[in-house]
Amino acid sequence: MTSRPWSTGVRRALPALGAALALAVSVIVGLPTTSQAAAQGPCDIYAAAGTPCVAAHSTVRALYSGYDGPLYQVRRSSDDGYTTVGPLTAGGVADAAAQDAFCADTSCVITRVYDQSANHNDLTIEGPGGNGGQDVGAYANALPVTVDGHKAYGVYITPGTGYRDDATKGVATGSTAQDEYMVTSGTHVDGGCCFDYGNAETNNDDNGSGHMSAINFGTECWFPPCTGSGPWVQADLENGLFAGGNGSNPGNRGNSGPFVTALVRTNGTSDYSIEGGNAQSGALTDWYDGSLPTTGGYIPMHQEGAIVLGTGGDDSNSSAGSFFEGVMTAGLPSAATDAAVQADIVAAGYTAYAGSAPAVGSRISLRATTACCTGDYLTHDDSDTKVVIAAVTSASAATTRSDATWLVEAGLADSSCVSFESANDPGQYLRHSGFELWLNTDDGSAQFAQDATFCAQPGIDGQGFSFQTVNYPGTYIRHFDYTVYVASDGGSNTWDNANLWTSDVSWAVTSPWA
């Protein structure tokens, strides 16, 4: 692109060399190596380069060193009360304890992600569009993470979840240049359309090629052939997810791992670029830097300036993904500026939240935490198909104890979640069908994999864990009248009864009975 005249190797080597020299000097003279990261955030870096953030969203941390305003808003189901969550200190990590206290003994959803820039381009729950119905908010405690040693919560997108702002200020329109990045997860992904963050249409519909310039991250290969199985950082330019050039780009080998930096930029008139990297270490990789698609009306761009998170521009909302932070800029920063932002992201210290799920490979039992039933465990009955809760003690028969023992495996449909295989019936898994839980043999289908995958989060009533279904957001494994279902809080089914719901969906992980 015209703003990046150097070769890829040179332009990446210089920032890396500068960072290495700075680190060496710090060590030699005894200076703290994190002082620069602590003094600046991504939007401070972009502003200093003359390409300020026009939108800055994060539920996990402040993106300006001096920002101490709200990060996000949650609504709790027990009384429809609202609260906002801000950083612990100016420029710091979100105050997760404030959310935990407000949402104790009930469930909460994220209803607003605040724009930290002066433009106030806040994201709220998305309405219906040309290819999707009314969206829902993400459950607020579904994605715990550790940032700079502190617990925080990301935005856990499942199909039907999405956020948007159709009336923004300062965001690129027409063929205006922009840069945008997000920090996401390379393990919570799928091939649905479309897990996006960035510039979209203002009417929630498909208005034609070039009316979007958003980051897409997932395993959907729109223009084959694609290299590997993804996930790939791609550009959603409307009517296509572009891995580079006119769509197909064998050089885009994708990014995986628990935390990924994804970046898409365009000058709006002739060129665009795609980059990705490990948000925990290292530099960005240039997957593409060249011409906008030469067919279909992408030159010049026709950006409309709305901001979308979790869906496509027309509210295509069959995708899944994780969002931790993201920004959009005015104009095109230099490669050195993007490299400095990547260094700041790495310095933020993204790590998995300890205790956020039972360990894959472990053998466990799951005990009910509701006061009525603290001696009861999740088990399968004598038919070996129906899943119930029943009393288990050390005096129980060996078969009874085995029936209440489960092997934790990486989720069949999402490796960041879990599946439960029967300890005494290998190949048979907990799966929901007709809202009830059963023990069935894995038939290898995508439907079975989704039905048998559950995403763990801290117990909604403060005890143990709750397990949300991967394909029906807002439904959790619940015992009701001694039978086990997947249930929502106050839904239309008998087993959705709000009474004791928070306790019934919270399970203590114990040592295995067998």
Side-chain angles (χ1 to χ4, degrees):
M1 299 175 69
T2 55
S3 62
R4 293 188 171 194
W6 301 342
S7 72
T8 298
V10 172
R11 74 188 190 209
R12 287 299 176 211
L14 290 179
L17 178 59
L21 289 174
L23 176 62
V25 171
S26 297
V27 171
I28 292 171
V29 302
L31 295 175
T33 59
T34 59
S35 59
Q36 184 174 2
Q40 289 188 308
C43 287
D44 300 309
I45 296 169
Y46 281 129
T51 52
C53 293
V54 294
H57 303 102
S58 178
T59 58
V60 305
R61 67 169 182 146
L63 301 176
Y64 295 84
S65 61
Y67 185 79
D68 61 358
L71 299 177
Y72 63 101
Q73 178 191 71
V74 300
R75 181 186 69 237
R76 61 186 174 196
S77 60
S78 60
D79 62 355
D80 283 332
Y82 290 82
T83 194
T84 57
V85 177
L88 289 164
T89 59
V93 178
D95 185 2
Q99 175 188 307
D100 290 340
F102 182 77
C103 300
D105 300 323
T106 188
S107 60
C108 283
V109 297
I110 297 172
T111 51
R112 182 181 296 266
V113 182
Y114 288 94
D115 176 14
Q116 299 175 33
S117 83
N119 292 323
H120 304 293
N121 294 320
D122 301 344
L123 302 178
T124 56
I125 296 172
E126 186 170 359
N131 197 37
Q134 173 65 51
D135 290 290
V136 299
Y139 271 77
N141 65 346
L143 188 57
V145 64
T146 300
V147 179
D148 193 26
H150 298 279
K151 178 184 178 183
Y153 291 102
V155 183
Y156 191 83
I157 299 293
T158 54
T161 305
Y163 297 85
R164 198 177 191 110
D165 184 359
D166 284 333
T168 64
K169 178 182 177 183
V171 178
T173 58
S175 57
T176 304
Q178 73 163 21
D179 190 5
E180 53 194 9
Y181 84 80
M182 72 170 168
V183 176
T184 181
S185 169
T187 57
H188 177 222
V189 294
D190 68 4
C193 183
C194 294
F195 178 62
D196 290 350
Y197 172 73
N199 199 316
E201 293 95 340
T202 58
N203 64 349
N204 296 27
D205 211 346
D206 180 349
N207 294 334
S209 299
H211 284 254
M212 290 185 68
S213 55
I215 308 164
N216 176 265
F217 192 70
T219 58
E220 183 175 10
C221 177
W222 192 289
F223 297 102
C226 295
T227 302
S229 57
W232 302 280
V233 181
Q234 300 183 92
D236 190 341
L237 306 179
E238 193 54 277
N239 297 325
L241 304 179
F242 293 81
N246 285 339
S248 178
N249 176 19
N252 189 335
R253 297 187 297 278
N255 296 84
S256 59
F259 302 100
V260 173
T261 305
L263 188 147
V264 169
R265 44 186 281 137
T266 178
N267 66 6
T269 58
S270 59
D271 300 309
Y272 76 114
S273 65
I274 298 171
E275 300 176 61
N278 185 339
Q280 294 178 293
S281 65
L284 297 170
T285 297
D286 288 292
W287 293 127
Y288 176 77
D289 190 352
S291 174
L292 282 162
T294 56
T295 60
Y298 296 94
I299 300 176
M301 297 293 290
H302 313 284
Q303 301 164 116
E304 296 189 28
I307 304 174
V308 70
L309 169 60
T311 75
D314 60 358
D315 191 33
S316 296
N317 58 6
S318 62
S319 57
S322 300
F323 178 84
F324 301 104
E325 64 178 77
V327 312
M328 304 168 70
T329 72
L332 291 179
S334 67
T337 301
D338 281 339
V341 169
Q342 166 67 358
D344 177 86
I345 292 167
V346 170
Y350 278 95
T351 57
Y353 176 66
S356 60
V360 171
S362 63
R363 180 184 290 252
I364 65 170
S365 292
L366 293 170
R367 180 177 60 79
T369 63
T370 314
C372 66
C373 312
T374 54
D376 292 340
Y377 290 79
L378 190 146
T379 183
H380 50 96
D381 68 5
D382 292 338
S383 70
D384 279 337
T385 58
K386 188 178 180 68
V387 177
V388 298
I389 59 168
V392 183
T393 70
S394 57
S396 298
T399 300
T400 299
R401 288 183 277 118
S402 294
D403 288 347
T405 300
W406 305 94
L407 306 179
V408 181
E409 298 188 4
L412 298 178
D414 183 341
S415 61
S416 68
C417 301
V418 294
S419 293
F420 298 102
E421 184 179 9
S422 171
N424 60 345
D425 288 292
Q428 296 197 45
Y429 293 81
L430 285 179
R431 65 89 58 95
H432 64 85
S433 178
F435 295 100
E436 193 168 344
L437 240 64
W438 307 89
L439 186 68
N440 288 163
T441 301
D442 182 7
D443 62 9
S445 69
Q447 185 64 58
F448 185 95
Q450 290 190 343
D451 291 347
T453 301
F454 305 92
C455 300
Q457 63 189 67
I460 290 176
D461 76 343
Q463 303 181 74
F465 296 90
S466 295
F467 300 97
Q468 183 176 199
T469 61
V470 76
N471 51 354
Y472 288 96
T475 64
Y476 293 77
I477 296 177
R478 180 198 189 167
H479 64 88
F480 184 83
D481 198 19
Y482 296 97
T483 297
V484 182
Y485 302 89
V486 293
S488 60
D489 185 5
S492 59
N493 299 307
T494 303
W495 49 85
D496 296 328
N497 192 308
N499 184 42
L500 299 177
W501 184 84
T502 58
S503 296
D504 290 352
V505 299
S506 299
W507 301 85
V509 175
T510 72
S511 298
W513 278 112

